[in-house]
Amino acid sequence: AMTLFSEKGFEKTSIEELARAAGIGKGTIYGYFQTKSDILHAFCEDELENLHEELTTNADREIPILKQMVSIYMSEFRHITENREFARLFMQETAFPRDVDLERHLANEDNYFKLLFPLLEKAQERGELRKDVELLYITGHFYGLYLLLVSAWFSGRVTTDEAETALETLFRQAIEGLQPRPEHISTEGIQHG
């Protein structure tokens, strides 16, 4: 399905073509998926599973949040950018879901938050992130910067080889802006001139 969606486009690919390419009957596809959107959402769910695996593989919650976030998002970046046209479709469907798919999209998003929020809470406890910023907004910072990276990759401003360095730079800048503010700034030792 992903190959055909990439080659012909999501809308122009029929269930019949998907069945033929898979070497199965059309009815078999309908036994698993009612619509093409169901197939795409199954891929999105696989992406969540990949994210979960990435988090459990790198289970050391004590490593800096910057390293954790770069690892998570680069894993997704490498996976989706294996096929340029599929990456475009996947990003469109996940960043700008259609109304008919909204309920399913929100469920996938909630699962995504369940995976990321504990990492962000731990980073807040360690003093890497401000405690007065809601986890949803912190997640939004990272995801928004990830979308920027993917867009820059599509436009050719960032190559695949440059992606990790670019993402780390973007995330570092965000984190530095999210670090706790000092309780007070000491004026001792400052000379007034």
Side-chain angles (χ1 to χ4, degrees):
M2 296 311 136
T3 301
L4 285 174
F5 292 163
S6 299
E7 291 172 359
K8 297 185 70 172
F10 181 76
E11 297 301 329
K12 292 181 182 178
T13 303
S14 70
I15 294 286
E16 205 169 299
E17 289 170 310
L18 293 173
R20 194 170 35 254
I24 58 175
K26 192 173 163 181
T28 303
I29 288 181
Y30 283 118
Y32 293 95
F33 305 103
Q34 293 180 356
T35 66
K36 290 186 294 184
S37 289
D38 290 343
I39 295 169
L40 185 60
H41 281 282
F43 183 83
C44 294
E45 290 166 7
D46 284 347
E47 279 302 296
L48 279 173
E49 185 59 35
N50 289 337
L51 174 61
H52 180 70
E53 279 182 37
E54 180 72 23
L55 292 174
T56 53
T57 300
N58 299 319
D60 184 359
R61 302 291 188 246
E62 297 305 317
I63 64 174
I65 194 67
L66 174 63
K67 188 171 182 149
Q68 290 181 52
M69 292 294 104
V70 169
S71 175
I72 289 166
Y73 283 101
M74 281 307 299
S75 176
E76 181 173 323
F77 177 83
R78 282 187 290 274
H79 188 68
I80 68 161
T81 58
E82 288 175 2
N83 184 308
R84 186 176 182 83
E85 286 310 307
F86 175 70
R88 187 183 323 277
L89 177 63
F90 177 75
M91 294 308 294
Q92 177 183 337
E93 291 296 316
T94 55
F96 307 103
R98 292 177 286 175
D99 290 344
V100 296
D101 297 326
L102 196 55
E103 186 176 322
R104 193 186 249 156
H105 171 78
L106 292 172
N108 282 339
E109 232 178 33
D110 287 343
N111 288 331
Y112 175 75
F113 295 148
K114 286 177 189 173
L115 293 172
L116 285 184
F117 283 7
L119 300 177
L120 300 174
E121 286 173 333
K122 189 73 172 166
Q124 285 176 323
E125 290 170 15
R126 288 192 307 261
E128 292 179 274
L129 300 173
R130 287 174 37 190
K131 291 183 179 181
D132 63 326
V133 179
E134 290 183 41
L135 298 176
L136 180 63
Y137 296 126
I138 294 173
T139 303
H141 278 281
F142 287 116
Y143 186 67
L145 293 170
Y146 172 69
L147 288 177
L148 178 65
L149 173 74
V150 174
S151 177
W153 178 79
F154 271 107
S155 69
R157 292 188 184 276
V158 174
T159 66
T160 303
D161 292 339
E162 299 168 329
E164 188 165 352
T165 301
L167 190 63
E168 185 174 336
T169 299
L170 291 168
F171 283 1
R172 179 178 285 110
Q173 291 169 349
I175 289 171
E176 288 171 356
L178 295 173
Q179 287 178 340
R181 293 187 184 112
E183 293 294 322
H184 65 286
I185 298 174
S186 172
T187 56
E188 292 177 24
I190 297 177
Q191 294 181 348
H192 298 281

